[in-house]
Amino acid sequence: MRMHRLRWEIVVVLAISLGQSAVYAVLSIIEKMTRPTPLNQQTTSMNRSAVPDRPWLDLAYQVAGVVFPLMPVVLVLFLMAIHVRPPDGPARTMGFDLKRPAFDLAWGFGVFAVIGVAGLAFYLFAVTIGINTQVSPANLAANWWTVPVLLARAVMNGVLEEVVMVGYLFTRWAQTGGRMWVIVVLSAVVRGGYHLYQGWGGFIGNLVMGLAFGWLYLRIKRVMPLVITHSLLDIVAFLGAPLLPVLMAMVGR
């Protein structure tokens, strides 16, 4: 009975969080692929201003866009605290704490150094061969708060995706007694799925990253290094966005 309830809990959590995002991403790639314009000639815009002509109201929208996506993280920590609570508590069990900062930073920056270069190379390759859109990751109007908001969004993405897709899912799945390779694959497929809005390159790249993150988590038993790696990847993508057209031009030569 307990295993049955936990698995239904997983389904509900995914349905109201990143699983839902995956469904919308599937619809998005269908829409993009049925356009007359080739996929690599389309642009996917991220981090857009809501009301660029009113900076303070736009800032309020951006803050809301950072805070509310984190509610699934609050939800899973709450559920794990009150229902089938792990012996060490939810945060400590998944390694979402500040107990080992040097360890977390070393692993986080190390994995970032490898995945960052490989990921950028694969993105450029995917656009070149026509299986991905051109991603424009930073489209906020220029304001004093633009960089802080982009940094906050990067960290938000890291916390949301790694705590839910790895820390929570892997902990709950282990509590059900399921085989861990199953959740490694499932988590990676869902991760790739909610990046389909970028194109097939986004799906493949994030599927591979999800498999690598899942394998690493099973070895080190801490989600914080993954949060750091993911945040760094998005920080570089968001703040380095002006360099992407230059790189694309170099690849196209």
Side-chain angles (χ1 to χ4, degrees):
M1 179 62 73
R2 186 184 79 169
M3 291 191 297
H4 182 72
R5 288 180 177 178
L6 285 180
R7 288 181 178 178
W8 271 112
E9 179 191 290
I10 290 172
V11 171
V12 171
V13 166
L14 288 178
I16 62 176
S17 60
L18 293 165
Q20 178 185 142
S21 298
V23 173
Y24 281 110
V26 169
L27 297 175
S28 177
I29 191 63
I30 292 172
E31 190 275 329
K32 286 180 170 69
M33 293 192 69
T34 52
R35 295 179 190 175
T37 307
L39 200 60
N40 64 348
Q41 293 180 23
Q42 300 178 38
T43 299
T44 298
S45 298
M46 302 165 58
N47 299 314
R48 290 172 291 188
S49 287
V51 280
D53 58 326
R54 287 174 282 177
W56 287 102
L57 183 58
D58 197 15
L59 175 58
Y61 271 102
Q62 302 307 323
V63 171
V66 170
V67 173
F68 284 110
L70 288 173
M71 291 304 103
V73 176
V74 177
L75 174 63
V76 299
L77 293 173
F78 175 73
L79 289 172
M80 294 175 68
I82 66 169
H83 179 228
V84 195
R85 178 185 174 91
D88 293 329
R92 189 170 182 181
T93 296
M94 69 174 69
F96 184 56
D97 55 32
L98 302 177
K99 297 289 186 180
R100 305 179 66 185
F103 178 90
D104 295 339
L105 287 170
W107 272 101
F109 275 87
V111 176
F112 162 73
V114 176
I115 289 184
V117 174
L120 177 58
F122 181 74
Y123 163 74
L124 296 173
F125 173 73
V127 173
T128 301
I129 66 173
I131 64 171
N132 211 75
T133 62
Q134 299 186 41
V135 179
S136 178
N139 298 278
L140 294 177
N143 291 290
W144 64 265
W145 46 259
T146 300
V147 170
V149 165
L150 290 174
L151 291 173
R153 280 187 174 271
V155 174
M156 178 269 289
N157 288 339
V159 172
L160 170 63
E161 294 187 36
E162 305 315 324
V163 170
V164 174
M165 295 307 302
V166 180
Y168 165 76
L169 278 184
F170 282 50
T171 302
R172 279 309 204 206
W173 193 259
Q175 288 178 305
T176 69
R179 296 181 179 180
M180 295 311 295
W181 70 264
V182 174
I183 201 63
V184 170
V185 173
L186 175 62
S187 175
V189 170
V190 175
R191 184 191 295 265
Y194 59 73
H195 285 92
L196 262 173
Y197 69 93
Q198 299 175 7
W200 293 104
F203 173 80
I204 296 169
N206 281 278
L207 172 67
V208 173
M209 188 174 84
L211 293 172
F213 276 18
W215 173 82
L216 181 60
Y217 178 77
L218 292 180
R219 289 180 61 86
I220 64 176
K221 306 297 183 182
R222 289 187 61 77
V223 79
M224 190 60 84
L226 306 183
V227 171
I228 292 170
T229 297
H230 194 139
S231 299
L232 289 171
L233 289 170
D234 280 5
I235 287 170
V236 171
F238 296 168
L239 299 187
L243 297 177
L244 280 178
V246 177
L247 291 172
M248 289 301 301
M250 293 174 62
V251 171
R253 290 178 182 176

